[in-house]
Amino acid sequence: MQVTVYSTPTCPYCKHVKSFLEDHKVAFDDIDVSADKDKAEEMIQKSGQMGVPVTDIDGELIIGFDKKALKKALGI
């Protein structure tokens, strides 16, 4: 399973998503879109969103901190 979190260091919901994943022992790539313009553009192209967090779980995109959607996509 490939999990990527597009986030920024100051975003509280980004911290919630990452804590949730860590609590459930899910490995993920954390991409700081405030420091990487190419990855920010990639996130916008994938999701149509400029806001963070955007979580990509095997191609399924979850916008914001949606615990129910995260659990469903991860099979928790």
Side-chain angles (χ1 to χ4, degrees):
M1 178 179 297
Q2 179 65 39
V3 180
T4 304
V5 179
Y6 296 91
S7 64
T8 62
T10 57
C11 162
Y13 294 105
C14 299
K15 290 180 175 81
H16 290 312
V17 168
K18 292 185 272 189
S19 291
F20 176 86
L21 293 172
E22 288 165 358
D23 290 348
H24 289 87
K25 309 282 189 271
V26 175
F28 63 93
D29 293 320
D30 182 18
I31 297 175
D32 179 358
V33 295
S34 69
D36 189 331
K37 285 194 184 310
D38 290 338
K39 290 294 184 181
E41 189 60 37
E42 175 183 286
M43 176 193 79
I44 294 165
Q45 290 300 316
K46 279 185 179 182
S47 69
Q49 299 287 318
M50 292 183 72
V52 287
V54 173
T55 306
D56 182 340
I57 302 171
D58 287 340
E60 182 177 341
L61 299 177
I62 299 167
I63 311 301
F65 178 52
D66 184 339
K67 193 182 287 191
K68 189 174 179 183
L70 287 167
K71 282 184 172 185
K72 183 174 183 243
L74 295 166
I76 297 174

